[in-house]
């Protein structure tokens, strides 16, 4: 069995910035939800696009959220996971939106208009990997160019 190794904050941030798809955990009046999303990282904020009427759009404004991204190698029984936590905010300022678009505008894969930009400014980031003799970054099957 591979050993569990804690990732440093800089390793966590590098994997988060390189990822393409993750999951947002959100608490709603109906209970917890986990929403898969594609995303971008701009400065120290995770940026998502959604519709104002979705579970995320209806409940994320000002909420404390958890965002998770991970990778697995089933053949070698190894993997990694990074979790970032922080309070969300809606981005509505034109100058702020322009900064997001210049760095990398998240492009939702789901059909429909996704006009609501949600930012999660993380205050905590942590992660781990299984196995200590490999580099998760080099094993990512797809990653954003940094």
């Amino acid at each position: 069995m591979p050993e569990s190794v804690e990732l440093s904050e800089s390793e966590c941030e590098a994997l988060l910035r390189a990822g393409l798809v993750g999951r947002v955990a959100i608490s709603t009046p109906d209970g917890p939800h986990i929403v898969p999303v594609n995303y971008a990282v701009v400065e120290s904020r995770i940026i998502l696009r959604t519709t104002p009427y979705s579970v995320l759009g209806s409940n994320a404004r000002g909420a404390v959220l958890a965002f998770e991204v991970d990778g697995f190698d089933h053949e070698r029984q190894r993997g990694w996971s990074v979790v970032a936590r922080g309070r969300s905010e809606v981005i509505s300022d034109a100058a702020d939106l322009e900064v997001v678009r210049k760095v990398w505008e998240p492009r939702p894969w789901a059909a429909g208009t996704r006009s609501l930009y949600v930012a999660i400014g993380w205050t905590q980031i942590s992660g781990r990997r299984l196995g200590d003799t490999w580099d998760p970054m080099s094993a990512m099957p797809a990653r954003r160019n940094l």
Side-chain angles (χ1 to χ4, degrees):
M1 289 286 227
E3 290 287 322
S4 177
V5 177
E6 293 296 316
L7 297 172
S8 70
E9 191 172 317
S10 63
E11 289 173 308
C12 290
E13 186 172 335
L15 288 165
L16 178 67
R17 287 181 181 282
L20 301 168
V21 177
R23 286 161 294 288
V24 177
I26 184 168
S27 180
T28 74
D30 296 329
H33 285 264
I34 298 186
V35 181
V37 294
N38 64 325
Y39 70 98
V41 176
V42 178
E43 297 166 353
S44 55
R45 300 184 304 170
I46 301 159
I47 310 296
L48 320 167
R49 280 179 56 191
T50 189
T51 172
Y53 310 106
S54 66
V55 168
L56 190 57
S58 299
N59 296 281
R61 297 167 193 259
V64 175
L65 304 177
F67 182 85
E68 192 258 352
V69 62
D70 53 32
F72 302 98
D73 180 339
H74 293 283
E75 282 186 29
R76 294 183 179 93
Q77 296 182 336
R78 63 187 186 187
W80 59 271
S81 177
V82 171
V83 176
R85 295 168 195 83
R87 187 163 305 278
S88 68
E89 64 177 317
V90 170
I91 303 174
S92 56
D93 178 71
D96 204 6
L97 284 169
E98 187 59 30
V99 169
V100 169
R101 290 181 181 122
K102 281 183 181 176
V103 173
W104 187 84
E105 183 172 8
R107 293 169 184 89
W109 295 353
T113 302
R114 304 285 190 256
S115 60
L116 185 68
Y117 287 72
V118 176
I120 306 168
W122 69 82
T123 55
Q124 298 174 330
I125 189 168
S126 61
R128 65 184 181 127
R129 71 172 183 265
L130 293 178
D132 60 355
T133 59
W134 68 288
D135 174 23
M137 186 71 82
S138 66
M140 290 177 90
R143 68 175 179 242
R144 182 172 295 118
N145 293 327
L146 302 175

